[in-house]
């Protein structure tokens, strides 16, 4: 009989403790759910605000604004998770220390990838080249198709797709053939040493001024670049718009060749 009464008392005490724990943790669960909902909504709102604000800044790429807005969103979500764990009595200091250690380990493991991301951010901010521009580096040459956070897509002159890690483009000098509006070109031709230099200069200048793609200012010029015992080297220098440079250089090179070709002799049939 006494054992039965002791069992009843123990059962009632256990039930009382369970009810107390249920009441205590029910508030914690409700508070955690509220924090999660508010945190999720706040992360979305702050991410959109950051994206819209960065998009209004001149020179900020859409990829870069999306990247920073995502960082803000995930940072808020991590903070919310830490606060939720604190609701259940978890020591948040140890959680933050663990997250820091994990972040350090991931950073060391992905050192090359993070280097490409850092280079991509600098390329998107400083813009040494843009989509559609023709560039050349130590190992990469082509037209820019897309600039991402990890790599840059290019199309070579012979129609080959090339993907270059951003770190390889950021750590070397980049030559941008399309950034400036005008470009200079030079065409060299060798003439006999006894040829009329003034006439040769007139021919070269006439070839350049006869092409509408050649800029009037600065005006094209022809000059003696070098000479030896048997020939004189003359150079035609002119400026064109950057997008006309290639086609104009091919056409004017041909025109210079034709201008200095010996004229075929016309046979005289009058005495026949």
């Amino acid at each position: 009989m006494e054992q039965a009464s002791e069992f009843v008392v123990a059962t009632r005490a256990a039930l009382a403790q369970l009810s107390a724990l249920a009441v205590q943790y029910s508030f914690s669960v409700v508070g955690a759910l509220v924090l999660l909902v508010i945190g999720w909504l706040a992360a979305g709102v702050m991410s959109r605000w950051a994206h819209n604000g960065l998009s209004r800044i001149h020179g900020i790429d859409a990829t870069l604004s999306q990247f920073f807005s995502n960082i803000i969103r995930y940072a808020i979500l991590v903070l919310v998770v830490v606060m939720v764990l604190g609701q259940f009595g978890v020591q948040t200091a140890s959680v933050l220390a663990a997250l820091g250690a994990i972040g350090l380990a991931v950073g060391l493991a992905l050192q090359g990838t993070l280097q490409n991301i850092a280079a991509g951010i600098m390329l998107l901010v400083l813009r040494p080249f843009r989509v559609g521009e023709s560039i050349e580096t130590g190992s990469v040459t082509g037209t820019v198709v897309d600039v991402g956070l990890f790599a840059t897509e290019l199309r070579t002159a012979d129609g080959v797709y090339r993907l270059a890690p951003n770190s390889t483009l950021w750590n070397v000098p980049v030559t941008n053939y399309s950034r400036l509006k005008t470009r200079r070109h030079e065409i060299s031709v060798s003439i006999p040493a006894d040829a009329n230099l003034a006439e040769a200069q007139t021919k070269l200048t006439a070839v350049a001024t006869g092409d509408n793609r050649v800029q009037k200012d600065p005006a094209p010029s022809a000059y003696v670049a070098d000479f030896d015992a048997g020939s004189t080297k003359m150079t035609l220098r002119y400026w064109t718009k950057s997008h006309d440079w290639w086609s104009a250089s091919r056409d004017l090179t041909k025109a210079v060749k034709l201008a200095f070709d010996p004229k075929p002799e016309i046979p005289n049939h009058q005495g026949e």
Side-chain angles (χ1 to χ4, degrees):
M1 193 68 179
E2 292 181 357
Q3 293 179 351
S5 61
E6 289 177 358
F7 176 76
V8 171
V9 171
T11 302
R12 290 178 178 176
L15 291 174
Q17 291 180 355
L18 288 174
S19 62
L21 289 174
V23 172
Q24 178 183 354
Y25 283 101
S26 63
F27 286 109
S28 299
V29 170
V30 172
L33 292 175
V34 172
L35 281 176
L36 285 174
V37 172
I38 295 176
W40 183 271
L41 295 176
V45 171
M46 295 300 295
S47 176
R48 286 193 295 272
W49 283 355
H51 184 270
N52 294 335
L54 291 173
S55 300
R56 295 190 185 98
I57 300 177
H58 179 71
I60 297 295
D61 190 84
T63 304
L64 196 60
S65 60
Q66 184 66 40
F67 174 72
F68 282 123
S69 62
N70 286 335
I71 287 180
I72 293 174
R73 182 173 182 270
Y74 291 124
I76 294 175
L77 290 178
V78 169
L79 179 62
V80 170
V81 170
V82 172
M83 294 174 62
V84 168
L85 292 176
Q87 285 289 109
F88 295 97
V90 178
Q91 295 295 325
T92 56
S94 60
V95 174
L96 292 176
L99 289 176
I102 294 173
L104 179 61
V106 172
L108 292 175
L110 301 177
Q111 185 175 3
T113 302
L114 295 178
Q115 186 178 4
N116 286 326
I117 293 176
I121 292 174
M122 297 305 296
L123 291 174
L124 290 170
V125 171
L126 298 181
R127 291 301 189 91
F129 49 80
R130 295 183 174 88
V131 173
E133 293 182 337
S134 178
I135 66 170
E136 179 182 358
T137 67
S139 58
V140 179
T141 303
T143 302
V144 179
V145 177
D146 183 57
V147 182
L149 282 174
F150 298 94
T152 297
E153 300 178 21
L154 300 105
R155 184 181 64 254
T156 62
D158 53 349
V160 177
Y161 171 84
R162 178 167 292 182
L163 184 68
N166 286 331
S167 58
T168 62
L169 299 176
W170 176 249
N171 294 323
V172 296
V174 176
T175 301
N176 191 328
Y177 293 109
S178 306
R179 177 57 55 88
L180 301 181
K181 294 181 179 180
T182 58
R183 286 183 62 184
R184 192 185 73 187
H185 188 249
E186 295 180 353
I187 301 175
S188 297
V189 60
S190 294
I191 61 175
D194 57 351
N196 189 320
L197 296 181
E199 182 180 348
Q201 285 180 310
T202 301
K203 283 185 179 181
L204 289 173
T205 306
V207 168
T209 55
D211 195 303
N212 293 330
R213 293 167 295 186
V214 176
Q215 298 290 297
K216 302 296 187 294
D217 185 20
S221 62
Y223 58 93
V224 176
D226 198 3
F227 63 90
D228 54 30
S231 64
T232 300
K233 181 180 178 181
M234 300 198 67
T235 298
L236 171 64
R237 176 179 291 177
Y238 64 91
W239 290 77
T240 65
K241 293 182 179 179
S242 296
H243 61 269
D244 290 332
W245 185 89
W246 176 256
S247 60
S249 66
R250 301 305 92 191
D251 293 341
L252 266 71
T253 300
K254 178 181 178 181
V256 168
K257 172 66 169 60
L258 295 176
F260 283 88
D261 276 348
K263 300 296 185 295
E265 295 183 2
I266 302 175
N268 187 357
H269 301 286
Q270 294 179 356
E272 297 181 0

